[in-house]
Amino acid sequence: MTSLDDLPIRDDLRGREPYGAPQRTVKVALNVNENSHGVPEDVAHDIVRQVAEAILTIHRYPDREFTVLRERLAGYLGHGLSAANIWAANGSNEVTQQVLQAFGGPGRSVLGFPPTYSMHSILAGATGTEWVEGRRDEGFRISPETVVAEIDRTRPDIVFLCAPNNPTGTGVPLETIAAAYDAFDGMVFVDEAYAEFMPSGAPSALTLLPDRPRLMVSRTMSKAFAFAGARVGYLASDPAVADALRLVRLPYHLSALTQAAAIAALGHADEMLGMVEEIKVQRDRLMAELPGLGYSPWPSEANFVLFGGVADPHATWQHLLDHDVLVRDLGIPNTLRVSAGTESETTAFLAALSGADGALGARS
Ligand SMILES: *Cc1c(COP(=O)(O)O)cnc(C)c1O
C-alpha cells in the first residue's frame, strides 16, 4: 500500500497534520462548540420548502454573486452594511482560505496569536503563507501595546485576531483591533465566529469598518445560528475586499441549495438565535461551578469554556468519554475545553467530571 510519504506532494506539506477534532457518536457532544439546540421544526419545514423550490431550477448554475443571500446577511448584521459589503462561502473556513489566497501566499506571512483556532495555521500552511506566532499578555489577553509590538517585531502581511478567541474564550478589545490596523499597511482579519455569545452590549469589530478598507470581519452561521451542517460563513468589509476574493473563489462556489437554505434560515433569525441566551446561561454556569470541582476556568465570552487544573487531560477526556460525554483536549497543558450545551447536557458533563477525580486543585 502507498503511504502519503510515497507521493510527490508539495515539500511544504510534508509532515503536516490535517484538522483533527475526533468525531465520535456520543450522547453528549460538547467538543466542537456546535449549537446543541436543533433547528426548530417549523423553521426546518420552511427551509425544506425553499430548498425544494431551488431544486426545480437545479439544472442551471446558481447565482454566482449570491445576491439575495448577501442582501439578507447585510440586513441581519445591520451597522449600515449593504450587499456590496458582504462576501460568503461554504463556512467561514472557506472565507478564511480565500482571504489567505488573495492576501497571503508564498513569500507572505500571517501573524496569529496562539493558542487560537487551529484552522488558522492549517489554512496558512495549505495556501503557502508563513504562519508567524505572536505572544499574548497574561490571561490570554492582547492589549493594544502588545499587538503593535508584535506587528513591529514580525512585520506580517496579514494579522489574524480571533474575537472572542477559540479555545480560550477571551475577548479582544476594539482598541486592540484599531491599534493593529494603524500599526502597518497589511490586512486585519477578525474572526468573530462567536460574536452572538459576547456579553450584551459588547461592541463588534463591525463598528470599526467605516474608513478601514483593510479590515475584514468574518462571521459564521455554524455556531449561534445552529447551522454547522449547512456550511455557511461570511465576511463584512469594504466592497474592494470582495473584489479581491472574486479572483480566487471557484465559480459558483455556493450551491443553489446552500443559498436557498441560508436565505430561508435568515428569514427566521429570531427563532434560530432563540437559544443563544440559554446557552450563555449554561456557559456562565460552567464558569461558576468548575471551581467547586477543583478546576480553574478562564472567563469566556463564547459558547465554550477552557478550564485548567486538569492533572492528566487525556485521562480525564477518556473518563468523560466513558460516561458518553465528549469534550476537547487541545494539547494545552493541564486544560480541557467544553462547549456549553443544553441544561441537561451541561448537568451530565458536570456530573461526569465530578467523578473523574482528576483535578490538580486541592479537593478534599
Ligand atoms: C467554529 C469556528 C469557525 C466556524 O467555521 P465554519 O467553517 O463557519 O463552520 C470559525 N472560526 C472559529 C474561530 C471557530 O471556532
Side-chain angles (χ1 to χ4, degrees):
M1 232 181 64
T2 305
S3 88
L4 175 55
D5 288 335
D6 301 323
L7 295 174
I9 62 163
R10 274 164 39 193
D11 289 334
D12 62 326
L13 291 180
R14 281 193 193 283
R16 288 189 187 271
E17 295 285 334
Y19 178 77
Q23 280 196 308
R24 306 274 181 103
T25 307
V26 291
K27 206 147 82 216
V28 182
L30 301 175
N31 62 325
V32 286
N33 304 339
E34 293 150 335
N35 192 320
S36 45
H37 302 257
V39 174
E41 199 167 325
D42 61 315
V43 178
H45 286 300
D46 191 41
I47 294 172
V48 169
R49 188 184 58 74
Q50 298 198 39
V51 167
E53 216 164 285
I55 290 183
L56 294 174
T57 53
I58 206 84
H59 58 301
R60 302 292 184 192
Y61 282 110
D63 175 11
R64 199 170 51 214
E65 287 295 312
F66 44 100
T67 314
V68 176
L69 177 58
R70 286 192 292 130
E71 282 166 1
R72 299 296 157 78
L73 287 167
Y76 167 68
L77 287 181
H79 292 278
L81 296 166
S82 71
N85 299 106
I86 304 296
W87 184 253
N90 297 283
S92 58
N93 275 294
E94 187 179 44
V95 174
T96 310
Q97 175 171 282
Q98 292 168 338
V99 164
L100 287 162
Q101 287 174 317
F103 298 107
R108 294 191 171 202
S109 66
V110 54
L111 170 65
F113 290 84
T116 193
Y117 185 43
S118 65
M119 280 311 299
H120 289 170
S121 54
I122 291 173
L123 290 169
T127 58
T129 314
E130 185 190 355
W131 172 252
V132 179
E133 305 202 329
R135 292 181 287 244
R136 290 175 176 267
D137 302 317
E138 208 51 29
F140 300 123
R141 285 182 289 268
I142 310 174
S143 70
E145 296 73 27
T146 294
V147 87
V148 171
E150 292 301 274
I151 290 170
D152 286 345
R153 180 174 71 82
T154 61
R155 310 222 150 261
D157 297 282
I158 311 171
V159 171
F160 273 13
L161 293 166
C162 193
N165 186 52
N166 178 5
T168 62
T170 323
V172 180
L174 289 193
E175 293 74 22
T176 295
I177 297 165
Y181 189 90
D182 291 336
F184 76 141
D185 293 330
M187 302 298 291
V188 175
F189 177 84
V190 183
D191 187 335
E192 283 197 347
Y194 300 99
E196 288 92 344
F197 298 101
M198 295 197 299
S200 44
S204 155
L206 294 172
T207 60
L208 295 175
L209 282 175
D211 300 318
R212 288 189 178 85
R214 293 178 288 107
L215 178 62
M216 306 172 275
V217 182
S218 94
R219 295 282 189 99
T220 180
M221 291 181 74
S222 292
K223 309 288 164 55
F225 237 92
F227 227 44
R231 313 304 302 128
V232 185
Y234 53 104
L235 180 122
S237 66
D238 188 276
V241 172
D243 285 335
L245 302 183
R246 283 185 179 89
L247 300 174
V248 297
R249 62 98 177 271
L250 298 174
Y252 318 108
H253 68 290
L254 270 181
S255 88
L257 305 185
T258 302
Q259 293 185 42
I263 290 165
L266 284 160
H268 300 273
D270 288 348
E271 248 183 290
M272 295 290 283
L273 293 166
M275 292 298 156
V276 165
E277 289 308 315
E278 190 179 309
I279 293 166
K280 286 164 77 169
V281 168
Q282 297 308 314
R283 185 249 342 255
D284 294 343
R285 177 183 167 207
L286 286 167
M287 287 194 283
E289 294 194 18
L290 280 164
L293 300 177
Y295 300 95
S296 40
W298 275 273
S300 172
E301 299 192 356
N303 69 339
F304 55 82
V305 173
L306 182 76
F307 57 98
V310 188
D312 180 345
H314 184 74
T316 299
W317 181 87
Q318 187 63 53
H319 169 91
L320 293 170
L321 187 57
D322 293 343
H323 290 76
D324 236 356
V325 178
L326 185 58
V327 300
R328 192 82 191 274
D329 176 4
L330 290 142
I332 305 171
N334 302 117
T335 71
L336 288 171
R337 189 195 68 192
V338 60
S339 311
T342 60
E343 182 175 3
S344 64
E345 287 171 331
T346 306
T347 300
F349 160 74
L350 289 166
L353 185 68
S354 70
D357 231 14
L360 283 172
R363 186 159 65 106
S364 48

